[in-house]
Structure formats: C-alpha cells, structure tokens
C-alpha cells in the first residue's frame, strides 16, 4: 500500500511544531495561497538577530535557510555585516504574501529558540520611520495591543536615523504572537 501523502513535497507545514518552551501551529492555509497568487507589492520584514544566533537561521552550509525559503515561499537574506552600532545582523524576509512573512518569522524564531533555549528572550525589528506610526497606532493603540502580549519598546528617533528599532521581549510564544501583530499593522490585508 502507498504511504499517505503529506501535501506539497512532503512539507510538514500546518503540523504542530514543538519547542522546549511552547508549541504552536505554523499554517499558511488557503488564504496565503490566494494572497501569494495575486500580483502585488513585495513586503519586507527586517529582523535584527544577535550574531551568535545566526547559525541557527542559516544552518549547516545554508541548508536551513534554503529549506525555510522553500517551505514558506519567501526570500530570506542574512546580512554579512552587523547592523550599525550593534552586534546584530539583519535577516530580511521578503514575500508578496503577509501570511508567508508570518510563517517565515515563526519558523526562524522557533529554530533560534530551539538552538538557544536559555538565551532566547527577544527579537528586534528595524522599521522605517515612514511606517513606524502604523505599529504605534493612533494614540498608541497598536503598541498597547502588542504590549498586552509581551514587553515592547520602540527606539527614539534621532537626527539622520532612517529606522526605528522595535524590541519585543518575552518567551517564544509571546514574541511570535507579537511579531504577527506587527506584521498585521505594517501590512494590513487589502
């Protein structure tokens, strides 16, 4: 008898993923498929990941990052240089589907949390000044919603600075749920 098929190419998306700290479902679903099929603008999310954690994102010989890109149909690039003034590297997730961005961030952060369970407690997001108002929201309503899930701070705006840094602090579940809200605020469904 033939073994049951597990979807596209044996992908395990939609299956329950477990970490030592929490478990949650990564699911692109039909809405993501429809969204990805539409012609549209590219969405980009820039995560700042400590340099010591980058190996978890890349994997041996870059295998993990290639697998992630294939699983969620995104382009994921990791900078070779540090973000100015930090020991963080930029991991850019690019897709034309909001759901794919969300799935990619969940898988990236889960890999980091599994490789660094005692250290993982935050993620940083570089947000262009022109878009930071979407995350903060009118009278701070959006950032208050994010803070209901985990601790969130936004860096001060300085002269000549083109981006603000949003820091999300908490366990893997809190951080991924908060980052999902950030994606929703930055790239609302049309």
């Amino acid at each position: 008898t033939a073994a049951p098929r597990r979807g596209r190419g044996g992908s395990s998306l939609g299956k329950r993923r477990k970490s030592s700290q929490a478990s949650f479902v990564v699911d692109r679903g039909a809405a993501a498929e429809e969204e990805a099929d539409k012609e549209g603008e590219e969405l980009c999310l820039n995560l700042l990941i400590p340099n010591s954690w980058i190996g978890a994102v890349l994997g041996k010989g870059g295998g993990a990052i290639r697998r992630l890109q294939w699983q969620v149909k995104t382009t994921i690039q990791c900078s070779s240089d540090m973000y100015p003034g930090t020991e963080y590297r930029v991991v850019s997730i690019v897709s034309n589907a909001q759901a794919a961005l969300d799935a990619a961030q969940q898988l990236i952060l889960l890999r980091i949390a599994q490789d660094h369970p005692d250290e993982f407690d935050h993620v940083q997001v570089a947000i262009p000044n022109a878009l930071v108002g979407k995350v903060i929201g009118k009278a701070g309503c959006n950032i208050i919603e994010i803070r209901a899930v985990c601790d969130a701070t936004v860096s001060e705006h300085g002269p000549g600075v083109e981006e603000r840094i949003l820091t999300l602090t908490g366990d893997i579940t809190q951080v991924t749920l908060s980052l999902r809200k950030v994606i929703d605020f930055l790239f609302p469904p049309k």
Side-chain angles (χ1 to χ4, degrees):
T1 62
R5 293 180 56 180
R6 292 178 36 186
R8 273 199 266 211
S11 170
S12 61
L13 285 178
K15 305 293 183 205
R16 188 161 297 277
R17 303 280 185 167
K18 294 191 178 184
S19 98
S20 60
Q21 298 176 349
S23 64
F24 53 94
V25 175
V26 176
D27 185 9
R28 282 185 62 211
E33 294 294 330
E34 288 175 22
E35 191 179 345
D37 289 340
K38 295 177 186 173
E39 282 282 328
E41 63 184 286
E42 283 191 332
L43 310 176
C44 181
L45 183 68
N46 291 319
L47 303 178
L48 301 181
I49 305 295
N51 190 47
S52 60
W53 297 355
I54 282 298
V57 177
L58 297 174
K60 188 172 183 178
I65 200 167
R66 282 192 301 274
R67 236 180 349 271
L68 284 171
Q69 291 179 102
W70 176 81
Q71 284 179 311
V72 293
K73 310 293 186 258
T74 59
T75 300
I76 303 170
Q77 297 178 331
C78 183
S79 69
S80 55
D81 298 330
M82 300 295 166
Y83 189 80
T86 71
E87 290 295 315
Y88 290 74
R89 289 173 54 185
V90 179
V91 174
S92 298
I93 307 169
V94 180
S95 177
N96 62 349
Q98 180 197 40
L101 281 181
D102 182 42
Q105 67 89 4
Q106 288 183 48
L107 291 170
I108 288 169
L109 296 181
L110 182 60
R111 284 192 58 82
I112 294 169
Q114 287 173 334
D115 281 14
H116 302 279
D118 297 332
E119 299 171 43
F120 181 86
D121 66 350
H122 73 283
V123 70
Q124 293 185 321
V125 185
I127 302 172
N129 286 336
L131 297 177
V132 78
K134 290 181 172 186
V135 175
I136 295 172
K138 191 171 188 174
C141 66
N142 292 350
I143 198 77
I144 290 169
E145 190 176 326
I146 293 168
R147 285 181 178 150
V149 178
C150 78
D151 184 37
T153 58
V154 179
S155 67
E156 293 298 317
H157 176 67
V161 177
E162 296 177 12
E163 298 174 314
R164 307 234 340 238
I165 306 301
L166 172 67
T167 303
L168 303 170
T169 305
D171 65 27
I172 182 68
T173 303
Q174 293 170 322
V175 170
T176 55
L177 289 174
S178 297
L179 198 47
R180 175 180 290 162
K181 288 183 180 296
V182 170
I183 291 168
D184 288 344
F185 295 141
L186 286 174
F187 313 111
K190 294 179 181 176

